[in-house]
Amino acid sequence: SHCMGVIPMSLVIAELEDSIGTITMNHLRKHNALNEILIEEIIAALKHFKKHGARVVILRAPPGAKIWSAGHDVKELPLTRRDPLGWDDPLRMVIRQLETLPMPVIAMIEGGVWGGACEMALACDMIVATSDVSFAITPAKLGVPYNITGVLNFMNATSRMILREMAFTAQPISAARAERLGMINYVVEKEELEQRVHTLAQQIKQNAPLSISVIKEELRIMESAHSVTPRMFERLQGLRRAVYDSQDYQEGLSAFLEKRKPQFTGE
Ligand code: YXS
């Protein structure tokens, strides 16, 4: 459709033009931390684009952003005795929306990508990043027991040794290294970013949307085809509960909020 439309929102700018939907995460004061409102608006934009026949979606921050997204809003994580990443957590919801959207989503990245935002970027269908970008998997830094679907999403994005290095050190890796590892499609200089993403979007747009959507859904189903028995699942959930009930989990969150280094004791 040729409808040009900007949907009025507060933390996100959503535009649909010539069958390309663009979502700009625009909550700069909080470095686009993935809070409930920002996620709701991203999901609303994705649904609007699907309804209006967009062929491809671009997910970005404003041009020149220093942080693409600081990840889950730490202030929205439960302090204890509740799963920090349960089924209805906003981060889980937006990742499921991105994965089940019938059209491809290109993550157009400038600035740092942290924690849950790293999983959100990897839940997109392609990633184009500028050379300043870094990706960090941060649960171990905060004492968060990541959830099993999230870990599977990371597993589908990189190799055994790299995922363990990123998860256990919680250190960012550069876009150049991520590209060498095949985690992202392109690293480009800032001035090339718009053009490179636009070229990909145009190439996708001229192909058959029904074919693309069924291939995307086949990939999603096959990537998640792992036989985990109820017994195995419940054992992992029990292990996760012990972590989010731990002192270390509370220490991780408090240290972040108090802007100090955490002292983890293993309790
Ligand atoms: O001091 P004020 O109150 O203005 O707030 C500061 C930060 O606390 C806040 N902020 C956040 N608030 C909630 N959730 C966040 N993820 C978050 N990140 C930042 O924004 C204000 C400005 O931040 P500041 O002063 O640190 O800015 P900066 O330019 O010095 O540093 C930017 C960052 C992004 C490098 C730095 O803010 C940072 O390291 N943020 C946390 C990145 C991170 O570890 N994210 C993971 C969040 S937890 C998550 O995603 C999952 C649960 S998990 O960890 O399991 O993957």
Side-chain angles (χ1 to χ4, degrees), residues 100-200:
T100 54
L101 197 76
M103 55 274 193
V105 180
I106 303 171
M108 177 179 183
I109 303 185
E110 297 174 82
V113 184
W114 298 88
C118 191
E119 189 195 342
M120 184 172 78
L122 294 168
C124 294
D125 298 284
M126 279 164 238
I127 296 179
V128 182
T130 51
S131 49
D132 64 298
V133 165
S134 65
F135 297 88
I137 297 176
T138 54
K141 196 173 73 177
L142 283 159
V144 170
Y146 219 72
N147 64 309
I148 302 149
T149 307
V151 166
L152 178 57
N153 285 337
F154 285 127
M155 275 175 66
N156 285 329
T158 189
S159 68
R160 182 183 194 285
M161 296 301 168
I162 301 303
L163 176 49
R164 282 167 171 75
E165 177 191 341
M166 290 185 76
F168 300 158
T169 67
Q171 293 303 308
I173 67 164
S174 70
R177 185 170 179 211
E179 186 201 38
R180 274 200 307 277
L181 296 165
M183 274 179 81
I184 70 175
N185 300 75
Y186 297 99
V187 182
V188 296
E189 289 314 310
K190 280 198 184 317
E191 50 280 353
E192 293 171 66
L193 181 64
E194 301 275 349
Q195 181 52 50
R196 182 63 61 94
V197 171
H198 184 74
T199 301
L200 282 173

Side-chain angles (χ1 to χ4, degrees), residues 37-129:
I37 300 170
L38 179 66
I39 297 287
E40 267 168 21
E41 294 189 357
I42 293 173
I43 292 173
L46 292 172
K47 287 180 174 170
H48 177 87
F49 294 156
K50 179 180 171 183
K51 185 159 165 263
H52 291 273
R55 294 287 180 84
V56 59
V57 172
I58 296 165
L59 178 61
R60 65 172 303 171
K66 291 281 167 293
I67 308 290
W68 190 71
S69 168
H72 207 292
D73 188 329
V74 173
K75 296 179 177 69
E76 292 189 356
L77 290 171
L79 257 184
T80 181
R81 304 231 175 276
R82 258 189 59 231
D83 188 337
L85 293 165
W87 179 258
D88 290 329
D89 176 88
L91 174 69
R92 303 313 328 154
M93 292 172 79
V94 71
I95 283 173
R96 289 197 297 270
Q97 286 291 327
L98 289 165
E99 289 170 336
T100 54
L101 197 76
M103 55 274 193
V105 180
I106 303 171
M108 177 179 183
I109 303 185
E110 297 174 82
V113 184
W114 298 88
C118 191
E119 189 195 342
M120 184 172 78
L122 294 168
C124 294
D125 298 284
M126 279 164 238
I127 296 179
V128 182

